[in-house]
Amino acid sequence: ETTYEETPACDGGLSFGDIRIIKPHPTEDECVELIQNGAVDGASHGSDPTTHWLHRSGFTYAAEGMGVDGGDALATQGQLAQYLDQRCFELNFGRSYEITAMVKLSDNLETGEAYNCNPAIEICPEIGVIAYGDTFTNLVEPAATMVMGEPDAYGYQQVEGVVDISTHMRDAYGILFYIARNRDDLYLFIDNVSMKLLPDATPTCENELVQNGDFSSGNTRYWRAYFFNQGVFSAEPGRGGATDTALMSSGHNAQTSIDPTCLLPNQRYEVVAKYRLFHKAEPDVQVSDYPGPDVQLLGDESEIVARTTGEKTSDGWDQLYGHFVADEWKTDLSDSLRLIFRKGGDYFNVLDDVSVTPISNSCDQLIVNGDMELGQRVFWVGLGGSVGKATGYTGIGALSHSRSSSTQGMRYRGSGMGFVDYTCFSQSNPFIVTAKVKLLEGGSTTTGVSCSSSCPTVTLRIVERVNGVTSNTNIANGFASQVWETDEFQDFEYLYTPKDDVEYFELQWRDFPPEYDLLVDDMSIVPRVTNAPSESLVPSAEPSASMLPSEFPSTSLQPTELPSTSLQPSESPSASA
Ligand SMILES: [Ca+2]
Ligand SMILES: [Ca+2]
Ligand SMILES: [Ca+2]
């Protein structure tokens, strides 16, 4: 006997809304690694090595035993791709994923003999991510690029990159990850593919604001290209030796982010980096073309915060240096603050040891690089004439050439690059300005000027602006000796009483005879009270209005204005340009 259930009543059935598909929330663990079967080791394990992988064109070939370390790989004559778990981009919005993969190009599917692709000079395999939304298709390409350097023992080369989760990824209904061959003539092998959540980049706001600035991790983490469709690459060697890496940007620019909430309001910061430039036409030869890269902070506004110094390190790297103050536009950003290394033209720019750190506000020494050892370029600017590093001296800095006017010289960027912290200034705290100064016969780097009478005059001008009013103080010949000893430096010293509320400050060496060049070294501005060695040069009594020691001939003092004949009418006295 067969029995049946009772016939159900047919008065209802399914209607719209009776079935709901609930999208389960992923766990955090499920969203750490987004690539499924990234090791593609199925073939030798008896399972399908192509699981989770799609080919966008061509075919998929299980390359058994042809992977990294002799494991399995996948090969294609098209692109290999897989869809990512889009829910993870909602869960982790605001964070970043690091993409890594090993890839190999070969013209032979059977032997897999490797073709060594050089991303500096040719198109190599890359990884892209496409977000499909209801109203958009957003492409991140490349999301990862090939690392410079030799292939590993199995012929594989590293591809790497970092992807920030964009609003497009968060709002997409589907996200495709793909590895592109970019070569019609070669097969693509892939292995060890990964797209992994980076540790939460919530900054710890430690002393160093640049993450992975020495690239010692061997990857480009936290760095990317500034221009769309440009890459940044790990490059060897870095400054840390043969196994250390640096960052290479091809064509244009590299950038990283600084969290604006880590900046202390009105704090001063030092920007330091090392670089090497190569022409694309001759990529093996380092060049020192000027201007070098500059370093820009970019948010709602932008500011150049470092430039080349013109002086190499002992290991042959050029140097970038600068200061900035964390003023409001930098600290009050809701979005990220970007640090961009810019060098136009057909160059490779290799960066290493990038650092942004707060400067101690001790007011102990207001001149940066006073010994000129870092070079002169970012610090000193020609005033009419040019400024260059003096050769034949031990680290002597500034030399003014080709002067056609006696007012020409050089100026120190107290403002502009912010090298003098004039928040240290107040009328109640005098400072001592010192320098070593030497005059050379024009065009000579060695022959000093000597004199017995009517010795030449050299002027240090202090330019200050207070409440929008610029004033100059000219100190002509603040020298201990009035005799110019040939080949000797003269000691310059001046007791300087700053104004209150200084808004702009610079120093100018100028107004010396046009037939001579000027050398300056060991410049210094220190508070009088803490500068014990200079106490002997300062009169024990209250300084007179002239602010100079009494043993100086008073005729050499011109504390307010120079005779008008020595001033060029065409030049703005403020020289604040
Ligand atoms: Ca494998
Ligand atoms: Ca390095
Ligand atoms: Ca020096």
Side-chain angles (χ1 to χ4, degrees):
E1 187 190 3
T2 304
T3 60
Y4 299 92
E5 280 186 57
E6 277 183 34
T7 305
C10 291
D11 55 354
L14 283 174
S15 55
F16 187 79
D18 283 359
I19 296 178
R20 286 193 302 148
I21 298 173
I22 297 170
K23 183 162 82 172
H25 292 294
T27 65
E28 286 184 18
D29 284 351
E30 286 172 320
C31 288
V32 172
E33 174 59 74
L34 297 186
I35 301 296
Q36 312 272 355
N37 188 27
V40 293
D41 278 337
S44 57
H45 293 78
S47 58
D48 181 0
T50 66
T51 303
H52 296 291
W53 287 98
L54 315 164
H55 56 89
R56 295 186 78 196
S57 58
F59 58 83
T60 305
Y61 172 77
E64 195 171 335
M66 296 172 74
V68 174
D69 294 331
D72 301 336
L74 281 184
T76 187
Q77 60 170 179
Q79 293 185 358
L80 289 165
Q82 60 177 260
Y83 282 99
L84 304 177
D85 187 345
Q86 186 274 333
R87 302 170 305 160
C88 293
F89 295 88
E90 295 175 53
L91 181 73
N92 289 320
F93 179 64
R95 295 180 62 177
S96 306
Y97 279 90
E98 180 170 51
I99 295 170
T100 54
M102 300 304 286
V103 306
K104 178 171 75 170
L105 290 172
S106 173
D107 64 357
N108 192 316
L109 212 51
E110 299 306 319
T111 66
E113 189 184 347
Y115 172 84
N116 181 8
C117 199
N118 181 355
I121 56 172
E122 61 189 321
I123 304 291
C124 295
E126 293 172 328
I127 291 173
V129 175
I130 307 176
Y132 298 100
D134 290 328
T135 58
F136 60 84
T137 299
N138 181 255
L139 184 66
V140 179
E141 186 185 82
T145 51
M146 184 170 279
V147 175
M148 308 277 300
E150 295 295 310
D152 69 7
Y154 298 89
Y156 281 81
Q157 294 176 271
Q158 174 113 4
V159 171
E160 65 182 22
V162 173
V163 173
D164 297 331
I165 300 175
S166 64
T167 52
H168 287 121
M169 295 175 188
R170 181 195 60 192
D171 300 338
Y173 61 72
I175 295 182
L176 184 72
F177 171 102
Y178 64 92
I179 308 176
R181 260 185 324 161
N182 287 339
R183 298 289 293 247
D184 287 340
D185 54 335
L186 298 166
Y187 298 107
L188 172 70
F189 290 69
I190 68 164
D191 201 355
N192 293 349
V193 185
S194 166
M195 182 164 177
K196 200 167 187 178
L197 187 65
L198 280 174
D200 194 345
T202 302
T204 53
C205 293
E206 285 168 359
N207 203 45
E208 175 61 62
L209 295 183
V210 175
Q211 303 186 75
N212 192 26
D214 61 5
F215 312 104
S216 60
S217 56
N219 60 37
T220 61
R221 186 175 287 185
Y222 305 116
W223 290 81
R224 67 213 65 202
Y226 177 51
F227 281 111
F228 182 73
N229 222 8
Q230 298 273 351
V232 290
F233 314 97
S234 293
E236 293 175 352
R239 296 194 68 225
T243 59
D244 179 50
T245 59
L247 183 85
M248 171 181 277
S249 61
S250 165
H252 287 91
N253 309 295
Q255 63 170 324
T256 188
S257 293
I258 287 177
D259 192 305
T261 63
C262 282
L263 293 173
L264 305 168
N266 299 315
Q267 170 68 44
R268 299 161 58 76
Y269 289 87
E270 181 183 63
V271 181
V272 180
K274 310 291 187 286
Y275 73 94
R276 301 171 74 195
L277 273 190
F278 301 87
H279 272 303
K280 282 191 167 175
E282 211 174 356
D284 293 333
V285 182
Q286 182 179 356
V287 295
S288 289
D289 292 7
Y290 184 77
D294 60 34
V295 187
Q296 184 186 45
L297 268 183
L298 181 65
D300 297 335
E301 299 179 32
S302 71
E303 181 177 321
I304 301 292
V305 294
R307 293 181 192 277
T308 188
T309 69
E311 184 70 11
K312 282 186 170 54
T313 61
S314 56
D315 57 345
W317 290 67
D318 281 297
Q319 306 187 74
L320 295 165
Y321 189 88
H323 286 184
F324 69 87
V325 176
D327 42 22
E328 246 174 39
W329 79 260
K330 303 179 187 100
T331 56
D332 291 357
L333 277 179
S334 56
D335 214 346
S336 73
L337 187 60
R338 294 187 287 166
L339 189 70
I340 305 172
F341 292 77
R342 309 186 308 173
K343 172 64 186 170
D346 291 330
Y347 293 93
F348 299 121
N349 183 15
V350 180
L351 276 179
D352 208 350
D353 293 345
V354 182
S355 171
V356 175
T357 51
I359 299 170
S360 132
N361 280 353
S362 68
C363 299
D364 283 349
Q365 170 60 269
L366 298 190
I367 293 283
V368 183
N369 184 41
D371 62 6
M372 320 294 182
E373 301 306 308
L374 262 179
Q376 84 290 340
R377 270 197 167 122
V378 69
F379 308 97
W380 292 88
V381 179
L383 196 65
S386 62
V387 180
K389 164 119 171 165
T391 53
Y393 295 87
T394 328
I396 300 294
L399 172 64
S400 180
H401 292 289
S402 308
R403 306 171 70 238
S404 57
S405 154
S406 65
T407 61
Q408 292 177 345
M410 51 203 171
R411 67 185 176 91
Y412 181 73
R413 281 180 161 136
S415 292
M417 293 300 291
F419 285 134
V420 172
D421 182 3
Y422 37 84
T423 63
C424 290
F425 287 159
S426 92
Q427 205 160 7
S428 52
N429 292 313
F431 282 79
I432 295 178
V433 181
T434 56
K436 302 276 190 190
V437 178
K438 178 177 176 177
L439 282 175
L440 294 174
E441 295 287 350
S444 168
T445 56
T446 52
T447 309
V449 170
S450 62
C451 68
S452 51
S453 62
S454 67
C455 288
T457 297
V458 177
T459 298
L460 178 71
R461 173 178 288 185
I462 298 176
V463 181
E464 297 157 295
R465 189 168 68 223
V466 176
N467 291 328
V469 178
T470 301
S471 58
N472 299 327
T473 305
N474 293 308
I475 307 113
N477 277 357
F479 301 108
S481 164
Q482 278 307 289
V483 178
W484 285 91
E485 301 279 353
T486 305
D487 299 329
E488 296 297 327
F489 279 85
Q490 310 285 317
D491 284 313
F492 175 92
E493 177 155 334
Y494 177 65
L495 184 62
Y496 165 59
T497 300
K499 296 182 167 60
D500 291 327
D501 306 318
V502 169
E503 301 155 357
Y504 180 93
F505 183 90
E506 72 176 45
L507 298 166
Q508 300 176 359
W509 288 103
R510 56 184 293 155
D511 302 308
F512 49 100
E515 62 269 31
Y516 299 141
D517 290 335
L518 181 71
L519 289 174
V520 177
D521 200 6
D522 291 345
M523 243 191 122
S524 165
I525 301 181
V526 294
R528 184 184 62 165
V529 284
T530 60
N531 190 32
S534 293
E535 286 292 319
S536 61
L537 286 176
V538 177
S540 53
E542 270 305 295
S544 66
S546 69
M547 294 298 174
L548 272 184
S550 56
E551 66 263 36
F552 280 35
S554 62
T555 50
S556 71
L557 282 178
Q558 300 177 47
T560 51
E561 255 324 320
L562 283 177
S564 59
T565 49
S566 69
L567 288 173
Q568 297 293 299
S570 61
E571 189 192 350
S572 158
S574 76
S576 56

